[in-house]
Amino acid sequence: MGFFEERKGGGAAVALDEIEISILRTLTVQLLELIGPGIPEDADPLAALFAEGPSEPPSDPALARLFPDAYGSPDGAAEEGVDPAETVERSAEFRRYTENDLRARKRDDALAVVRSLDGLTPGGDGVAVLELTGELPLRWLGALNDLRLTIAARLEITEDEQGAALVGLPDEDPRKPIVMAYHWLTGLQESLIETL
């Protein structure tokens, strides 16, 4: 499995085989489905500009990881001597005015990944070289991070050590393929950061 390297002239490049392209595309499409649709393109632009987002945190653990409370949990606030009700109120207000934009950015990042992958044509050896320039490296970085956070939530990984411990799962464990994808995405993300 390939990792990003510096591209001559700037940006980053990675060689991906057909299976890697398929895995990345499938995971990213699933991420798009999880994030959900945005404001319709034919919506009134002024109304869209002032549209309020949700005030409640998502119930899905993966979405809660992608869209965390800005002011932490009420339990954590109480431990720090802060009024939990005030923390909930501040988080709700912050979420209401920022989550739509954050969802749009995450959606745009994921769409950039899908479009990049769709533009690849593997050669006779089944490998294609993906070259990222301009804003694409940052879009990919955002989407790779979102994919990792989503998978980590599904695997209940909250610390790096937990992810490392899952590598030793037996092959018959149904979590094994997604654990391997998680570590591959981690390597892709780290190599892209180093390249940039």
Side-chain angles (χ1 to χ4, degrees):
M1 295 190 166
F3 293 105
F4 282 99
E5 297 178 5
E6 190 172 346
R7 181 182 169 273
K8 193 174 184 178
V14 62
L16 299 169
D17 65 30
E18 292 174 352
I19 294 171
E20 292 168 326
I21 293 168
S22 176
I23 291 170
L24 268 172
R25 190 178 192 293
T26 299
L27 290 173
T28 308
V29 167
Q30 290 174 355
L31 176 64
L32 282 164
E33 291 170 358
L34 180 68
I35 292 170
I39 296 171
E41 288 183 24
D42 60 349
D44 174 24
L46 190 58
L49 182 64
F50 293 103
E52 290 185 8
S55 60
E56 295 293 320
S59 58
D60 182 313
L63 285 173
R65 185 78 65 95
L66 292 175
F67 305 105
D69 278 332
Y71 294 94
S73 72
D75 296 336
E79 289 173 10
E80 294 177 14
V82 177
D83 180 13
E86 186 177 323
T87 300
V88 169
E89 186 179 321
R90 285 182 177 178
S91 290
E93 186 173 345
F94 186 82
R95 181 178 300 282
R96 185 171 30 258
Y97 295 112
T98 61
E99 188 168 312
N100 284 344
D101 289 339
L102 185 56
R103 279 183 186 265
R105 193 191 81 225
K106 290 180 180 300
R107 192 177 304 105
D108 289 347
D109 289 349
L111 282 171
V113 169
V114 170
R115 289 179 181 131
S116 299
L117 295 171
D118 286 348
L120 292 178
T121 306
D125 58 356
V127 175
V129 175
L130 172 69
E131 296 186 353
L132 303 178
T133 58
E135 68 175 16
L136 280 177
L138 293 179
R139 293 238 178 243
W140 267 75
L141 201 52
L144 288 171
N145 188 57
D146 291 342
L147 286 169
R148 287 186 63 253
L149 288 173
T150 301
I151 292 171
R154 295 290 186 239
L155 293 171
E156 299 178 354
I157 296 172
T158 57
E159 304 290 331
D160 288 340
E161 296 80 29
Q162 291 171 310
L166 290 175
V167 171
L169 288 174
D171 289 343
E172 59 274 5
D173 190 305
R175 298 173 296 168
K176 182 78 172 194
I178 199 67
V179 167
M180 299 313 294
Y182 172 79
H183 286 288
W184 175 54
L185 291 169
T186 299
L188 273 179
Q189 182 183 24
E190 288 174 356
S191 68
L192 184 53
I193 289 170
E194 289 170 9
T195 301
L196 298 178

